[in-house]
């Protein structure tokens, strides 16, 4: 069965470029990003892992641990990392899983047979500290991911996990947010001290509460 938002993220033990890990132990109480790439020594994947490495500080300040995966072996990963560091001007410090058996890829439904029988699509999972899947994005092999969008949705997920708000279209960190419909309008002032604007009874906007 395919994984869905709200499901438990399957735990696993795996060999990686940084040694053997237990996924849950690796995450500990952090948020996690698990993402797959079709193959080592390929152009789009090289830029994606380089971009991930360049955003190390952005992930760390959000308490997010990143881990990548492909069905190539760990020795291949180690050689490829040297190319990524050289061509992208970065240092890859996050682990890359060698999923030769495809057990993890299959557990996370990363192999889409109508795209390829043997390589993964560009799947990405954001996992909360509770080990629940919070977001799933899949790209075809030909399209590199938008990592600014990944950071944006992490900001949204972390904000909405702790405050009774939702984020509107194209929202960015620091912009106004939507008060949840479950909050009565007369109760908003007590809960949101920065004020609010009622556009419609079902559309109430307020400044981002954690800023």
């Amino acid at each position: 069965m395919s994984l869905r938002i709200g499901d438990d993220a399957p735990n696993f033990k795996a060999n990686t470029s940084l040694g053997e890990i237990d996924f849950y132990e690796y995450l500990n109480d952090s948020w996690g990003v698990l993402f797959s790439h079709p193959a080592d020594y390929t152009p789009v994947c090289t830029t994606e892992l380089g971009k991930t490495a360049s955003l190390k500080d952005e992930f760390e300040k959000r308490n997010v641990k990143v881990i990548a995966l492909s069905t190539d072996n760990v020795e291949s990963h180690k050689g490829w990392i040297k190319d990524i560091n050289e061509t992208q001007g970065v240092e890859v410090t996050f682990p890359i899983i060698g999923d030769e058996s495809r057990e993890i890829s299959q557990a996370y439904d990363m192999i889409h047979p109508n795209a390829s029988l043997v390589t993964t699509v560009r799947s990405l999972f954001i996992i909360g500290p509770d080990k629940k899947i919070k977001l799933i994005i899949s790209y075809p092999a030909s399209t590199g991911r938008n990592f600014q969008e990944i950071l944006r949705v992490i900001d949204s997920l972390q904000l909405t996990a702790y405050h009774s708000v939702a984020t509107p279209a194209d929202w960015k960190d620091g912009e106004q947010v939507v008060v949840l419909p479950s909050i009565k309008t007369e109760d908003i002032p007590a809960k949101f001290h920065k004020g609010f604007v009622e556009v419609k009874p079902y559309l109430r906007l307020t400044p981002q509460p954690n800023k």
Side-chain angles (χ1 to χ4, degrees):
M1 287 183 64
S2 298
L3 291 173
R4 297 178 178 178
I5 291 171
D7 288 351
D8 290 329
N11 193 26
F12 55 81
K13 289 182 170 63
N15 290 321
T16 81
S17 56
L18 298 180
E20 186 169 318
I21 66 151
D22 176 286
F23 186 47
Y24 278 13
E25 289 180 2
Y26 171 73
L27 292 179
N28 197 5
D29 60 355
S30 299
W31 291 69
V33 171
L34 168 65
F35 67 109
S36 61
H37 53 274
D40 294 359
Y41 295 103
T42 51
V44 176
C45 299
T46 299
T47 64
E48 286 197 325
L49 270 70
K51 175 57 71 173
T52 303
S54 75
L55 294 171
K56 177 183 177 182
D57 291 346
E58 293 297 322
F59 286 116
E60 285 184 348
K61 76 181 186 182
R62 292 168 172 82
N63 190 30
V64 175
K65 290 184 178 178
V66 176
I67 185 165
L69 172 150
S70 88
T71 56
D72 292 313
N73 63 51
V74 168
E75 289 307 309
S76 174
H77 292 345
K78 290 179 179 177
W80 182 39
I81 286 170
K82 296 176 183 177
D83 281 5
I84 297 169
N85 292 345
E86 175 192 346
T87 62
Q88 306 303 302
V90 297
E91 182 179 358
V92 173
T93 58
F94 56 86
I96 306 174
I97 297 165
D99 188 30
E100 293 178 88
S101 68
R102 301 184 176 86
E103 290 181 9
I104 301 167
S105 302
Q106 290 170 353
Y108 278 84
D109 197 30
M110 293 172 169
I111 295 176
H112 296 190
N114 289 332
S116 171
L117 291 172
V118 294
T119 60
T120 64
V121 295
R122 298 186 193 282
S123 295
L124 183 141
F125 298 82
I126 296 177
I127 298 160
D130 59 359
K131 308 302 184 288
K132 301 286 187 183
I133 294 173
K134 306 299 182 182
L135 179 135
I136 303 170
I137 309 176
S138 293
Y139 294 76
S142 58
T143 303
R145 281 168 270 233
N146 183 331
F147 281 84
Q148 293 306 312
E149 170 64 4
I150 293 165
L151 292 175
R152 189 189 77 87
V153 295
I154 291 170
D155 288 338
S156 174
L157 290 166
Q158 293 183 341
L159 171 66
T160 58
Y162 303 110
H163 299 276
S164 301
V165 297
T167 55
D170 295 334
W171 173 87
K172 295 182 182 65
D173 187 42
E175 297 179 350
Q176 62 184 358
V177 295
V178 175
V179 179
L180 291 182
S182 58
I183 306 296
K184 295 179 180 180
T185 299
E186 57 267 30
D187 294 335
I188 293 177
K191 195 171 184 67
F192 297 96
H193 304 298
K194 297 178 182 179
F196 73 100
V197 175
E198 182 176 341
V199 181
K200 290 286 185 181
Y202 58 85
L203 177 55
R204 291 85 49 87
L205 304 174
T206 189
Q208 186 171 324
N210 63 346
K211 290 293 184 181

